[in-house]
Amino acid sequence: MEKSLVKNRDLTYKLVGTALLTAIVVVLQLVGGAIKIGTFSISLVLMPIVVGAALFGIWSGAWLGLVFGVMVMATGDAALFLAVNVPETIITVLAKGILAGLAAGAVYKFLEKKNRYVATLLASIASPVVNTGVFLIGCSVFFLDTIKSWAGDAPVFQYMIVGLVGINFILELAINLVLNPVIVRIVDIGKKTFSGKTK
């Protein structure tokens, strides 16, 4: 009976926490969608994805990444690629979000017992790296001919890295690194609350 109560409490905690972070991802993507630098808007949602992955596990990170991907399409951030090919855009956008959340969760889980600060820092780095990396892979696999036409005389991969993702990736990574102490603090509070160490 006691184990069942604890299990139910843990599940409720994860569901409520993930639901709250889902709402934060939606709001931050709506706000971030208005801040355009270059071709795309800056993603402000990678921080709550890292928090969710650290507090509630890999699958919570994947869910939050999926919500991020859906919101990218809903806010029009993927319109440029949707005009070229709808299914391939959906695959790329959803995959980059889901894998960014999975990567953050996997990195955190692997390192958490050794050093929570390092685990959070590396999860905060993994999320934007995977998000951008999967986007570049999707561009290379699905949209290379289109991107060649956009690049004009510029080398296509240089155009992809500098023109499509350069500034955005640097800013997304910088935001996660600057806010990393906040992420660590949120994760610490969440872990202590979850384990019953705070009232």
Side-chain angles (χ1 to χ4, degrees):
M1 186 71 169
E2 181 70 26
K3 282 185 182 180
S4 176
L5 287 174
V6 170
K7 190 175 180 181
N8 287 340
R9 186 197 67 176
D10 292 352
L11 180 60
T12 302
Y13 174 79
K14 288 179 181 182
L15 290 174
V16 170
T18 300
L20 177 62
L21 288 170
T22 299
I24 291 171
V25 166
V26 169
V27 170
L28 286 178
Q29 186 58 33
L30 289 171
V31 170
I35 306 169
K36 298 267 187 200
I37 301 214
T39 311
F40 307 105
S41 61
I42 297 172
S43 175
L44 302 173
V45 305
L46 296 175
M47 187 181 93
I49 290 173
V50 171
V51 170
L55 282 177
F56 309 120
I58 292 171
W59 297 115
S60 178
W63 165 257
L64 294 168
L66 172 64
V67 172
F68 163 45
V70 169
M71 288 306 298
V72 165
M73 289 186 290
T75 56
D77 249 3
L80 196 61
F81 289 94
L82 283 168
V84 177
N85 189 307
V86 173
E88 293 171 352
T89 300
I90 292 170
I91 290 167
T92 301
V93 171
L94 296 183
K96 77 185 188 71
I98 292 167
L99 292 173
L102 283 172
V107 167
Y108 185 84
K109 184 174 182 177
F110 181 72
L111 296 170
E112 176 186 19
K113 290 181 181 166
K114 294 176 177 116
N115 185 314
R116 191 175 289 167
Y117 180 81
V118 171
T120 308
L121 176 66
L122 293 180
S124 297
I125 292 170
S127 189
V129 167
V130 170
N131 181 53
T132 301
V134 172
F135 173 74
L136 289 172
I137 291 168
C139 286
S140 299
V141 171
F142 298 129
F143 301 102
L144 196 56
D145 291 336
T146 302
I147 292 171
K148 282 179 184 174
S149 70
W150 294 345
D153 294 334
V156 68
F157 291 107
Q158 179 182 335
Y159 173 80
M160 284 169 59
I161 291 169
V162 176
L164 291 181
V165 299
I167 295 171
N168 292 43
F169 170 72
I170 291 168
L171 288 173
E172 289 168 7
L173 182 61
I175 288 167
N176 267 22
L177 292 178
V178 167
L179 294 177
N180 192 65
V182 175
I183 297 172
V184 171
R185 184 71 183 132
I186 291 169
V187 170
D188 280 345
I189 290 168
K191 293 284 184 183
K192 286 176 185 173
T193 302
F194 183 53
S195 65
K197 292 179 184 172
T198 61
K199 308 216 173 178

